[in-house]
Amino acid sequence: MMQDSLDLTTLIFLGLAVFVIWKLRSVLGQKTGNERPPFNPMARREEPPAAARDGDNVVRLPGAGPERAATAPVATAVPRNWKGVVEPNSPAARGLDLILQQEPGFDPRGFTDGAKVAYETIVTAFAKGDRKTLKTLLSREVADGFERAIQGRERAGQTVETTFVSIDRAEIVGVDVRNRVAQVTVRYLSKLITATRGPQGQVIDGSPEKVVDVTDVWTFARTLGSRDPNWQLVATEAGQ
């Protein structure tokens, strides 16, 4: 009797298991047409304006990313009044319109604030010879130029001391969008204390006490609509 009861119980549980598996397959095994394709890590990558690098880059766009970019209209962007940001109806204003056409979350004022942080970070890292920081902030071409300058100082036994007093102004002076790559040019007016010392610690350029006015014009670039929301420094020049 005990053996018969055991066999009957086993059969009941087996029957329940088969029923549950059948129900699960009937629900989970059906295709609705809305399934996502298998994840492909290589398909998620898009080409940046320069060689990809590890770590954080120059400037983050508030609201930028593939989700926002996907909703951007394909028609011509509606011109905006950029008074207080760039000259209205200027080439820079039209460039900002093109950026917003592809990334509605772009904030020019937020970009400028981020560019100030990038400027101070890069100038300080260059003075210290901080290659690790510079690598994450610069395009390959600019990084190569900075590296040559740092190597030249090292061979000559020179060191640079740089202290930021203030960044008095940072303004967008140019915007260019070509083939989905946006380039934004910023002019900086800053006050610095900078001095270069020789092998024995003697000052050979600048002054460790004098505040000087400095004007720089830097250009940042990024591929619009890419998953990477960061900008890289792609060009520098001394401004007037």
Side-chain angles (χ1 to χ4, degrees), residues 82 85-99 106 108 111-112 115 170-178 181-188 216-222 231-232 234-235 237:
W82 293 110
V85 179
V86 296
E87 188 69 25
N89 302 317
S90 64
R94 290 190 288 273
L96 291 178
D97 290 336
L98 290 174
I99 292 178
F106 178 73
F111 175 93
T112 303
E171 59 180 348
I172 295 174
V173 295
V175 182
D176 183 63
V177 181
R178 297 182 184 180
V181 175
Q183 293 192 352
V184 180
T185 301
V186 181
R187 178 188 289 120
Y188 300 92
D216 281 313
V217 179
W218 286 11
T219 300
F220 301 92
R222 177 176 173 272
W231 295 70
Q232 284 187 326
V234 298
E237 62 178 301

Side-chain angles (χ1 to χ4, degrees), residues 117 129 136 174:
V117 176
T136 65

Side-chain angles (χ1 to χ4, degrees), residues 89-212:
N89 302 317
S90 64
R94 290 190 288 273
L96 291 178
D97 290 336
L98 290 174
I99 292 178
L100 280 177
Q101 177 184 352
Q102 299 187 55
E103 292 192 349
F106 178 73
D107 175 12
R109 291 180 175 84
F111 175 93
T112 303
D113 290 340
K116 290 180 181 179
V117 176
Y119 179 66
E120 183 170 353
T121 300
I122 292 171
V123 170
T124 302
F126 175 67
K128 294 179 178 179
D130 183 355
R131 293 174 169 86
K132 182 178 179 181
T133 296
L134 292 174
K135 180 180 179 181
T136 65
L137 300 171
L138 313 177
S139 70
R140 188 175 302 279
E141 292 76 11
V142 175
D144 289 344
F146 277 38
E147 176 62 23
R148 288 192 295 270
I150 292 173
Q151 288 180 359
R153 293 197 320 241
E154 292 175 342
R155 286 193 296 268
Q158 299 174 357
T159 58
V160 177
E161 301 169 354
T162 297
T163 302
F164 268 86
V165 177
S166 64
I167 299 179
D168 297 332
R169 190 170 185 180
E171 59 180 348
I172 295 174
V173 295
V175 182
D176 183 63
V177 181
R178 297 182 184 180
N179 298 325
R180 294 180 59 231
V181 175
Q183 293 192 352
V184 180
T185 301
V186 181
R187 178 188 289 120
Y188 300 92
L189 305 178
S190 62
K191 288 182 170 61
L192 303 177
I193 299 174
T194 182
T196 301
R197 295 184 182 272
Q200 282 73 46
Q202 75 279 20
V203 176
I204 60 176
D205 189 34
S207 168
E209 299 175 354
K210 182 180 179 181
V211 177
V212 295

